[in-house]
Amino acid sequence: MELSCDMRNDVVLIGVHANRIDAGIALQFITKMAEATKGKTGRILMDLAEVEFIDSSGLGAVVAALKQVDKGASLELANLSVAVRKLFSLTKMDTVFRVHPSVEDALQAGSAAA
Amino acid sequence: MSAVPGTIRFAVEEAEEPGADPGCVANPGWHECCMLSTRFSATVAGVRGSLAQIKQLLVGFDVCPEVIASVELVLAEVLNNICEHAYNGRSGGMIEVSLRHSPGEIFCHTIDEGCPMPGNAVPITELPSLDGPRQDLPEGGFGWHLIQALTRKMDYARIGERNHFSLWIDLDSPM
């Protein structure tokens, strides 16, 4: 599991290069997210295009990643698969994270409603 | 049940439905059901492998992505619970999963030889509260809620030294 980190406009774009975030890589994900988001402010967008599946352990890791970002930063999500969207909907975590259909949608949406 | 760890076998059967509505012939899948049984070690790798095989099988049966997502989520939570709690993370445990895809529903059954469920019952859990500041958000406690939300019915039985979970997922109301 690798993360990539780029700046797109004023948004920190983190690509998650793994096809699943599950019990097996949850701790590794939290550690790598801490490294990727350290000192970052403003909008942080996690691109989940490659992630087909997240289980409840992986969801816990995504929440842990949110807690690690600076107080002034937001953690948003884009490109949720059917299974990931279902997970976020059933746990109501889609009310905690701002969810975008795609990275482009997220960049165009701006930070007004963040 | 297959006795070989990590293997999977399934069979396609023609359902015996004399006098069935001929309109159903237009959908060949209606007359088919699939059975699968797999046995694997109670580890992260074992769980991942079984989920991948089950998903592949359901894709082959043209089950819609929403239902496949439900089956994968439900089984992932049940199997993780077996690894982490019934076997308490210890190695050497085995899990058997069988699955039946029939008109209207998918039935899943798991067997393990771990510790019994506390109180010999599945917990009825509420979704953890998401109110409050960011630092207080829950990082766990979602598993049983997800299983309950995605299944029409769930049964648990302790038979001898084994745990049996039975799960029914509707095909027409995947949420």
Side-chain angles (χ1 to χ4, degrees):
Chain A
M1 199 270 309
E2 296 296 331
L3 301 179
S4 58
C5 198
D6 299 300
M7 286 300 293
R8 291 279 296 273
N9 304 336
D10 293 329
V11 177
V12 178
L13 179 62
I14 295 179
V16 180
H17 306 294
N19 63 3
R20 52 204 297 126
I21 306 173
D22 61 13
I25 66 162
L27 291 177
Q28 185 191 3
F29 176 80
I30 295 170
T31 303
K32 292 204 170 187
M33 278 297 291
E35 293 166 3
T37 60
K38 189 175 183 184
K40 302 288 196 301
T41 55
R43 296 177 71 200
I44 302 171
L45 179 64
M46 200 190 298
D47 183 3
L48 295 172
E50 293 177 32
V51 180
E52 296 171 13
F53 185 76
I54 300 179
D55 65 11
S56 67
S57 300
L59 178 64
V62 175
V63 173
L66 171 65
K67 293 181 180 180
Q68 292 175 152
V69 304
D70 283 7
K71 278 183 181 163
S74 67
L75 183 61
E76 305 174 24
L77 311 174
N79 283 321
L80 274 58
S81 73
V82 170
V84 174
R85 200 177 62 239
K86 182 167 284 204
L87 172 76
F88 275 75
S89 167
L90 287 171
T91 57
K92 300 201 183 335
M93 278 294 172
D94 56 358
T95 65
V96 170
F97 292 87
R98 195 170 172 208
V99 177
H100 305 274
S102 69
V103 169
E104 293 309 315
D105 280 309
L107 296 177
Q108 286 175 12
S111 58
Chain B
M1 289 291 166
S2 168
V4 183
T7 63
I8 200 160
R9 62 190 169 84
F10 59 90
V12 179
E13 295 176 349
E14 286 294 321
E16 292 177 12
E17 289 185 31
D21 179 357
C24 294
V25 175
N27 179 0
W30 186 255
H31 288 293
E32 292 175 350
C33 62
C34 73
M35 286 186 295
L36 164 156
S37 68
T38 180
R39 184 176 156 90
F40 51 91
S41 61
T43 59
V44 167
V47 169
R48 274 186 191 157
S50 69
L51 292 175
Q53 287 175 307
I54 287 166
K55 186 175 176 182
Q56 189 179 16
L57 183 76
L58 294 177
V59 168
F61 273 84
D62 286 335
V63 175
C64 78
E66 288 279 345
V67 173
I68 293 175
S70 295
V71 172
E72 189 171 13
L73 267 172
V74 166
L75 278 177
E77 297 306 327
V78 171
L79 300 178
N80 284 344
N81 190 70
I82 291 169
C83 294
E84 292 167 16
H85 299 293
Y87 286 121
N88 201 19
R90 72 175 189 269
S91 60
M94 297 298 292
I95 304 176
E96 292 177 10
V97 174
S98 55
L99 182 141
R100 185 181 180 89
H101 168 216
S102 53
E105 70 178 18
I106 288 178
F107 171 71
C108 307
H109 185 83
T110 72
I111 302 174
D112 69 83
E113 296 169 339
C115 301
M117 289 293 292
N120 267 329
V122 289
I124 304 299
T125 58
E126 296 288 324
L127 193 62
S129 171
L130 304 183
D131 296 337
R134 184 190 278 183
Q135 290 305 322
D136 292 345
L137 285 170
E139 295 177 33
F142 305 109
W144 287 110
H145 171 80
L146 285 169
I147 295 166
Q148 286 158 14
L150 290 166
T151 53
R152 170 168 56 79
K153 185 182 170 192
M154 169 176 55
D155 275 348
Y156 166 75
R158 179 77 176 177
I159 302 174
E161 297 295 308
R162 293 174 159 193
N163 297 310
H164 292 250
F165 288 96
S166 300
L167 308 140
W168 289 263
I169 297 165
D170 284 340
L171 291 177
D172 55 357
S173 56
M175 287 297 277

